Amino acid sequence: MPTITWEDPFCGEGANCFRLGTDPDGNAYIAVAGAEEMHLTDSRDALRALIQDIKAGKADHLL
């Protein structure tokens, strides 16, 4: 298991909390807070692109 450094949870209203993490090998992780052992993994570049696209409004239709 890689050594993942988790950020503080990002929480919406209620109990919808997600955590982002990274490891020394350049991987990025997304997990539901409290269930970090069941994470999604991709590169830091992929995480960066996801965050930039969300900030640009490309996921607004999901709200």
Side-chain angles (χ1 to χ4, degrees):
M1 182 79 166
T3 301
I4 302 170
T5 302
W6 291 104
E7 297 291 324
D8 291 336
F10 294 91
C11 299
E13 293 184 24
N16 301 319
C17 298
F18 293 91
R19 295 189 77 185
L20 302 176
T22 56
D23 71 17
D25 295 325
N27 298 306
Y29 302 84
I30 300 173
V32 173
E36 289 82 357
E37 69 281 355
M38 297 176 53
H39 54 262
L40 298 173
T41 308
D42 208 325
S43 67
R44 287 186 188 186
D45 288 336
L47 177 61
R48 184 177 300 109
L50 173 66
I51 292 169
Q52 289 173 338
D53 284 351
I54 289 170
K55 288 175 71 174
K58 293 183 180 180
D60 286 357
H61 65 284
L62 299 172
L63 303 175

